[in-house]
Amino acid sequence: MSMRPRAHELGVIGCHACGLVCEAPGTTTHATQCLLCGAVLHARRPNSLSLAWALLWAAMIFYIPANLLPVMHTDMLGSSSGSTIAAGIVEFWKSGSYGIALVIFTASVAVPCAKFLIIGLLLVTAQRRTPWARRERALLYRLVEQIGYWSMLDVLVVAIVAGLVKFKSLADIEPRLGILFFGGMVILTMLSAMQFDPRLTWDGNET
């Protein structure tokens, strides 16, 4: 079965911002900007892999203090304590709030680790220009894009719990430095995924 033609063989290029297929720069007198959104057209985003790697490593570095430092401080009846992400999961589980514990575990442990592994896999295979599982890798990239919007659930839970506790005047809960590192980690992983050019997945030798 013959392979389908590539975009460069047809003289067209896809806009990385809106997805519109335009005539490739240099083939016509058209400007090198997308006709729909005005974004600059690139056959491949410049320095995509190096920037994505840098942001991914920064995110993994941020993830260390996010787990070691307290994410919230509780002051109840004169007794104060700081809770890390792991301690918070255990406390919610012991108190019977299984749903909240599961949400925090998913948003703060399962999702970040999965994103680290998936983005790392995409970057390594793109660098090696391997034809292995291209369609599946493209689906993984779309998955990372979708779950990226839900990565701030842990920060949201801390904010909601703090608000509810203050509203009921049962105790005093304040966010701590760990939640800032966690939020920074989430933003960096999202930027890393955005910086990666998914078109690199299809480069290399054919199978």
Side-chain angles (χ1 to χ4, degrees), residues 10 19 31 38 68 81 92 123 151 153-154 178 199 206:
L10 299 176
L68 296 179
S81 62
F92 279 117
L123 292 174
S151 299
L153 281 177
D154 193 50
R199 295 173 294 185
E206 304 291 349

Side-chain angles (χ1 to χ4, degrees), residues 162-176:
L164 289 175
V165 171
K166 288 178 178 293
F167 178 75
K168 293 182 179 180
S169 300
L170 298 175
D172 187 22
I173 294 182
E174 296 180 353
R176 282 296 185 259

Side-chain angles (χ1 to χ4, degrees), residues 2-83:
S2 60
M3 297 298 298
R4 294 181 179 180
R6 296 294 184 88
H8 69 274
E9 298 172 349
L10 299 176
V12 296
I13 187 173
C15 175
H16 70 275
C18 67
L20 180 69
V21 176
C22 308
E23 292 182 274
T27 59
T28 67
T29 58
H30 291 164
T32 58
Q33 291 183 328
C34 176
L35 300 177
L36 182 62
C37 68
V40 178
L41 297 176
H42 298 288
R44 297 294 181 267
R45 190 175 299 166
N47 303 318
S48 172
L49 292 177
S50 58
L51 292 175
W53 269 121
L55 291 167
L56 179 61
W57 278 110
M60 290 190 289
I61 292 173
F62 269 52
Y63 191 55
I64 296 175
N67 283 276
L68 296 179
L69 296 175
V71 295
M72 62 180 181
H73 179 81
T74 305
D75 188 0
M76 181 178 293
L77 301 177
S79 177
S80 60
S81 62
S83 299

Side-chain angles (χ1 to χ4, degrees), residues 22-196:
C22 308
E23 292 182 274
T27 59
T28 67
T29 58
H30 291 164
T32 58
Q33 291 183 328
C34 176
L35 300 177
L36 182 62
C37 68
V40 178
L41 297 176
H42 298 288
R44 297 294 181 267
R45 190 175 299 166
N47 303 318
S48 172
L49 292 177
S50 58
L51 292 175
W53 269 121
L55 291 167
L56 179 61
W57 278 110
M60 290 190 289
I61 292 173
F62 269 52
Y63 191 55
I64 296 175
N67 283 276
L68 296 179
L69 296 175
V71 295
M72 62 180 181
H73 179 81
T74 305
D75 188 0
M76 181 178 293
L77 301 177
S79 177
S80 60
S81 62
S83 299
T84 61
I85 292 176
I89 295 173
V90 173
E91 289 179 7
F92 279 117
W93 187 268
K94 288 182 177 180
S95 65
S97 302
Y98 304 117
I100 296 179
L102 184 60
V103 167
I104 295 178
F105 175 80
T106 302
S108 60
V109 179
V111 170
C113 292
K115 290 180 69 175
F116 292 154
L117 292 174
I118 292 174
I119 296 175
L121 174 66
L122 294 175
L123 292 174
V124 169
T125 51
Q127 278 186 327
R128 296 184 175 181
R129 302 170 67 90
T130 174
W132 171 75
R134 282 186 169 131
R135 188 178 299 275
E136 289 75 12
R137 285 154 52 196
L139 293 176
L140 283 176
Y141 176 76
R142 295 178 184 175
L143 176 64
V144 168
E145 279 192 316
Q146 293 299 320
I147 64 177
Y149 301 111
W150 301 95
S151 299
M152 282 289 189
L153 281 177
D154 193 50
V155 180
L156 181 61
V157 168
V158 172
I160 292 176
V161 171
L164 289 175
V165 171
K166 288 178 178 293
F167 178 75
K168 293 182 179 180
S169 300
L170 298 175
D172 187 22
I173 294 182
E174 296 180 353
R176 282 296 185 259
L177 189 59
I179 204 67
L180 296 179
F181 279 101
F182 186 87
M185 179 274 299
V186 172
I187 294 174
L188 288 170
T189 52
M190 293 177 64
L191 291 175
S192 178
M194 292 171 60
Q195 188 60 47
F196 175 72

